[in-house]
Amino acid sequence: MIRIGIVLGSTRPGRMGDQVARWVHETATRRTDAEFELVDLRDHPLPHLDEPPMAPGGYRFEHTRAWAAVLASFDGFVLVTPEYNHSAPGVLKNAMDTVYFEWNDKAAGFVSYGGVGGARAVEQLRLVCGALQMADVAPQVTLPLATEFEGEVFKPGEYNVAALDMLLDHVVRWSTALASVRARREGDEAEIRGRIDKIIESLRAKDLEGLKRVYAPDVVSFDVEPPLQHVGIDAKLKNWEKVFTLFEKVDYEVRDLTVTVGADLAVGHGFGRVSGLLRDGTEANGMWVRATFVFRKTGGDWVIVHDQASVPFDIATGKGVVDLEP
């Protein structure tokens, strides 16, 4: 079943958002078309942008990994936000900025409160959701302090229930539709990772025919040895064939592979190393190189149209640095 996270976007002492979020949750749980869970940002304290941008699956800190796991478990969100100084709370913006991919291709609805119902905060959050590749739904619930609160006590008018139900209808509908989009994307990523596995398998088996099926006929490859580029499948296979003549046994490793998938193009990057047993019996440990792969979907299959291997170089000597490890 579709899962929707109701994110309470304020951690401020004396906040009134907890009352609003509980009302949203209590109303939502009467429905049978989705599961709803309240997510309080107080339970997920995040330092301000202490992670590098866009690092799927490679977060440095446990608090980021925990937050990413929470977001990944949901198909859509209802963001409950106050309006502070004509904008959304910084803690909510930080929670949205800290991770990226876990928000992608999911729906978002807004319940806001404040002097003008929090409308100005939502307008800014819609821009953020667009940058996160989220589908923000048009219906929203705005709760003016003057009409929906008695002092610091939330007293929503009954008419707000119909508005909230409409918002939830749209969030559930879009979340359901986007779940299939994410499933296809995840399937594409699994296929691409399988292609990399096929390269490893074929190299270890010295199987040129297996390698041929991984590359596009017009592949362009930048390697660490001359020439500057290998153009076309024949040149690429000739390069691998040269490796096979040097090695009695070949091994190939890939580490820290990250894959980003689009409609018909995908990019992967990580670290690769060719090693093994040379013809003269010498063990060759090889060197780690930076590896980039560009895939194109052709005839329903993902094939490599460009790859590049590179090493950093010492500026003073102009020589490549080949003893680094990932």
Side-chain angles (χ1 to χ4, degrees):
M1 183 178 285
I2 293 297
R3 298 188 73 247
I4 307 298
I6 300 168
V7 180
L8 172 49
S10 173
T11 60
R12 196 173 191 171
R15 66 183 182 181
M16 295 181 287
D18 50 351
Q19 301 174 63
V20 178
R22 284 197 302 270
W23 170 72
V24 174
H25 185 248
E26 289 167 2
T27 304
T29 51
R30 300 170 192 162
R31 304 172 65 100
T32 59
D33 54 358
E35 295 178 357
F36 297 86
E37 183 176 324
L38 186 57
V39 180
D40 190 339
L41 291 185
R42 282 186 178 175
D43 298 329
H44 302 278
L46 297 167
H48 183 248
L49 295 182
D50 62 343
E51 291 278 357
M54 299 187 189
Y59 301 117
R60 293 178 179 177
F61 303 111
E62 178 56 35
H63 54 255
T64 314
R65 292 190 289 271
W67 177 236
V70 169
L71 297 180
S73 71
F74 293 112
D75 301 289
F77 303 93
V78 176
L79 304 180
V80 178
T81 180
E83 181 178 310
Y84 296 152
N85 298 321
H86 289 210
S87 186
V91 67
L92 177 57
K93 180 67 163 60
N94 185 57
M96 299 176 79
D97 290 341
T98 295
V99 299
Y100 176 75
F101 294 97
E102 290 77 9
W103 295 105
N104 291 176
D105 295 326
K106 297 181 181 181
F110 306 96
V111 176
S112 61
Y113 60 97
V116 292
R120 292 169 295 203
V122 170
E123 288 304 301
Q124 295 187 26
L125 289 174
R126 288 188 186 279
L127 297 176
V128 178
C129 287
L132 292 173
Q133 300 188 49
M134 302 179 75
D136 55 305
V137 304
Q140 67 185 68
V141 178
T142 55
L143 304 166
L145 297 179
T147 61
E148 310 306 317
F149 293 80
E150 294 181 6
E152 296 182 356
V153 179
F154 180 45
K155 294 286 185 69
E158 193 62 30
Y159 48 83
N160 285 306
V161 174
L164 179 56
D165 279 336
M166 181 181 291
L167 180 149
L168 295 173
D169 286 343
H170 282 69
V171 170
V172 170
R173 188 182 309 141
W174 276 97
S175 297
T176 302
L178 289 170
S180 62
V181 172
R182 294 198 311 280
R184 287 196 298 273
R185 185 185 68 198
E186 290 164 4
D188 285 338
E189 181 175 338
E191 181 181 341
I192 288 167
R193 289 183 179 275
R195 290 289 183 178
I196 301 297
D197 290 341
K198 182 62 178 178
I199 292 175
I200 296 171
E201 174 189 326
S202 298
L203 287 177
R204 289 173 176 172
K206 296 185 177 180
D207 178 9
L208 286 175
E209 283 302 313
L211 287 169
K212 187 175 182 178
R213 291 190 287 273
V214 176
Y215 296 100
D218 57 345
V219 61
V220 176
S221 181
F222 296 167
D223 211 334
V224 292
E225 62 177 359
L228 285 175
Q229 61 180 359
H230 305 279
V231 181
I233 185 66
D234 291 339
K236 181 65 182 179
L237 293 179
K238 186 177 181 180
N239 196 42
W240 281 127
E241 188 175 17
K242 179 181 177 181
V243 173
F244 294 162
T245 62
L246 296 174
F247 285 86
E248 182 70 29
K249 293 182 180 180
V250 180
D251 194 15
Y252 186 58
E253 304 169 70
V254 175
R255 288 187 187 175
D256 300 339
L257 178 64
T258 295
V259 178
T260 303
V261 182
D264 55 8
L265 286 176
V267 178
H269 60 83
F271 303 99
R273 178 173 69 172
V274 175
S275 60
L277 183 67
L278 297 177
R279 294 286 184 181
D280 63 4
T282 303
E283 290 281 353
N285 292 326
M287 62 182 180
W288 286 102
V289 300
R290 301 171 294 194
T292 303
F293 307 92
V294 180
F295 291 82
R296 181 177 65 212
K297 199 166 194 177
T298 304
D301 295 324
W302 289 98
V303 291
I304 295 176
V305 294
H306 175 65
D307 63 6
Q308 177 171 344
S310 65
V311 295
F313 74 97
D314 181 86
I315 295 177
T317 66
K319 294 182 179 180
V321 181
V322 297
D323 58 352
L324 301 178
E325 298 233 359

